[in-house]
Amino acid sequence: MRRMAVLGVALFLVAGCGGGGVEVVMPAGPQESDMNAMEPTASPTLSTLGAYETAPVDDAGNASTAVFHRWGIWGGILRDDAVTCTAIGCPPPGDTIFMAYMNHEIDGTVGTATRGMRSGTSPAAGSAVWAGRVAAYETEDVMTSGGSSVTAYAPVEGSARLEVDMAATTVDVDFTSFDNGRADMSWDGLAIRNGEFSSGTPGIAGAFYGADHEGVAGTFARDGLAGVFGALRAAE
């Protein structure tokens, strides 16, 4: 039986006075709106959300299984003026565009979910690419020392790339560079309607997030893997 490595803890990124007396007339300075315009605009970033832990299936340590604590991908704008979040599964501090994650349910199964500010519209004009990550799991039936069969979960990660043809209102999805020796997978020409896209079973379902379609995220199940993906629009 194989034994899966422990990832450990996930990354959590945090990442007036007045006077009186003589009136002095100063040259007009920049207005507040002008100052805001001069401030650099923070760019969205991807971070790891949540964590997972592994433990032996039985005392003999025949295999280990992963338990997911809202583990996945966070997309948003990080802030350095917020208190670091230390609870398992809470998002990094900042303005969230989307969260795509997996979580162990009460019955022991793993559920997948996405949350955030859906765009509600499809990207328009030209073509563009969104790049990001995949967080998924595979299952294996293992026998314990007591002779019973147990389903063990193993985490798998990879890269995500989505290219949108805005004239045709379609998206091509590519998941590559998986660990655990998993093969690449792709979906071509998925129709986008109201900022959402999907395919059949086994398949994929995703949506664009943010006022300007900054992010895209969703869930998938295919070729023995199930999980989530999250990506941000690449600079043009």
Side-chain angles (χ1 to χ4, degrees):
M1 299 292 180
R2 66 176 179 176
R3 186 176 182 85
M4 294 170 281
V6 178
L7 174 68
V9 179
L11 299 175
F12 291 107
L13 305 178
V14 231
C17 60
V22 179
E23 180 181 359
V24 179
V25 179
M26 300 293 293
Q31 300 298 309
E32 182 178 356
S33 58
D34 298 328
M35 296 178 66
N36 291 338
M38 290 187 291
E39 294 177 356
T41 302
S43 299
T45 185
L46 293 179
S47 301
T48 299
L49 177 67
Y52 70 80
E53 57 187 348
T54 61
V57 169
D58 63 10
D59 293 338
N62 291 322
S64 61
T65 188
V67 177
F68 301 101
H69 305 281
R70 204 158 73 162
W71 177 63
I73 306 153
W74 177 91
I77 300 176
L78 290 171
R79 289 169 44 187
D80 58 8
D81 60 346
V83 177
T84 303
C85 180
T86 57
I88 289 179
C90 64
D95 299 322
T96 299
I97 297 175
F98 68 78
M99 295 189 295
Y101 59 88
M102 298 172 291
N103 197 60
H104 254 84
E105 308 298 339
I106 297 177
D107 61 2
T109 61
V110 179
T112 57
T114 57
R115 295 173 54 189
M117 304 179 298
R118 293 202 177 194
S119 303
T121 60
S122 303
S127 63
V129 171
W130 282 253
R133 302 203 299 264
V134 179
Y137 67 88
E138 60 182 347
T139 60
E140 179 186 18
D141 292 331
V142 298
M143 297 297 295
T144 69
S145 57
S148 60
S149 177
V150 175
T151 299
Y153 296 91
V156 178
E157 295 183 274
S159 299
R161 182 182 187 277
L162 297 90
E163 184 169 359
V164 173
D165 182 336
M166 300 182 192
T169 323
T170 60
V171 59
D172 296 337
V173 182
D174 292 295
F175 294 162
T176 61
S177 304
F178 284 115
D179 51 20
N180 285 17
R182 302 295 308 196
D184 297 346
M185 60 182 71
S186 63
W187 294 261
D188 295 329
L190 299 179
I192 308 172
R193 296 183 179 88
N194 300 320
E196 301 178 0
F197 56 90
S198 63
S199 70
T201 302
I204 187 172
F208 290 88
Y209 289 81
D212 296 318
H213 309 94
E214 301 97 311
V216 59
T219 63
F220 76 98
R222 177 174 168 179
D223 301 341
L225 284 184
V228 298
F229 62 93
L232 295 174
R233 188 166 184 164
E236 298 179 358

